[in-house]
Amino acid sequence: EARPAGVLTPMAPGVGTEPPLINGLTFVSWLGRGGFADVFLYQQTSPQRRVAVKVLRDPSISDLAVRAFQAEADAMARLEHPHIVPVFATGTTDDHRPYIVMMYYPQPSLADRITSRPLGVEDTLRRGIQIGLPSRPRIGPASCTATSSRPTS
């Protein structure tokens, strides 16, 4: 089943990789699967709270992929926006898989929303603008271009 980029595929317990042992976190359940990573729900010991943990599936993944994963965590940590999940920590599991510890949101995900009722054009554009605007000042106006579909005469 095709899904938009960044949308997790729901997982049933027992499917996919085993949740890694991470110091200070206790595994609770599976949350989903993306292209290269699984997302798990953990209970954090201190401070006590539930967190979402994104873990690369393949311990033998390339250094380039690991750097890209870390760059993703760094970018998410720099952005503060209601539609971007805050990053609490990063690390590496005992079997050398990088992970990102993030805020857990128990409400239905965008994947659940899309599955129950496809987004209309207006809703898709509104969500894209909400998500995209925080990155514009960081990227800079030179990288944002506008085009016109009107012919010139």
Side-chain angles (χ1 to χ4, degrees):
E1 173 183 357
R3 291 188 180 269
V7 175
L8 296 175
T9 300
M11 292 175 57
V15 176
T17 61
E18 290 297 314
L21 296 174
I22 301 174
N23 191 28
L25 301 175
T26 303
F27 171 75
V28 175
S29 67
W30 278 270
L31 293 176
R33 164 174 280 176
F36 298 99
D38 291 320
V39 180
F40 304 100
L41 177 62
Y42 280 83
Q43 179 67 37
Q44 183 175 324
T45 306
S46 181
Q48 290 190 4
R49 60 183 167 191
R50 289 191 166 203
V51 293
V53 180
K54 182 176 183 179
V55 183
L56 284 181
R57 273 193 296 279
D58 186 358
S60 62
I61 197 147
S62 72
D63 287 341
L64 179 62
V66 170
R67 285 194 303 273
F69 189 77
Q70 186 61 49
E72 174 187 349
D74 291 342
M76 288 172 61
R78 281 192 301 272
L79 297 173
E80 293 181 23
H81 189 274
H83 299 288
I84 297 174
V85 179
V87 171
F88 295 143
T90 61
T92 305
T93 64
D94 289 342
D95 63 352
H96 309 289
R97 293 185 290 157
Y99 65 85
I100 304 170
V101 180
M102 302 171 284
M103 181 177 284
Y104 169 61
Y105 291 95
Q107 65 264 24
S109 68
L110 181 57
D112 295 333
R113 166 64 178 82
I114 291 170
T115 301
S116 68
R117 188 183 70 209
L119 298 177
V121 173
E122 183 178 320
D123 199 19
T124 300
L125 291 172
R126 182 179 52 77
R127 289 173 190 268
I129 290 168
Q130 288 173 339
I131 293 168
L133 283 180
S135 63
R136 187 175 179 274
R138 307 254 195 277
I139 295 170
S143 63
C144 299
T145 58
T147 60
S148 174
S149 60
R150 288 186 280 162
T152 57
S153 24

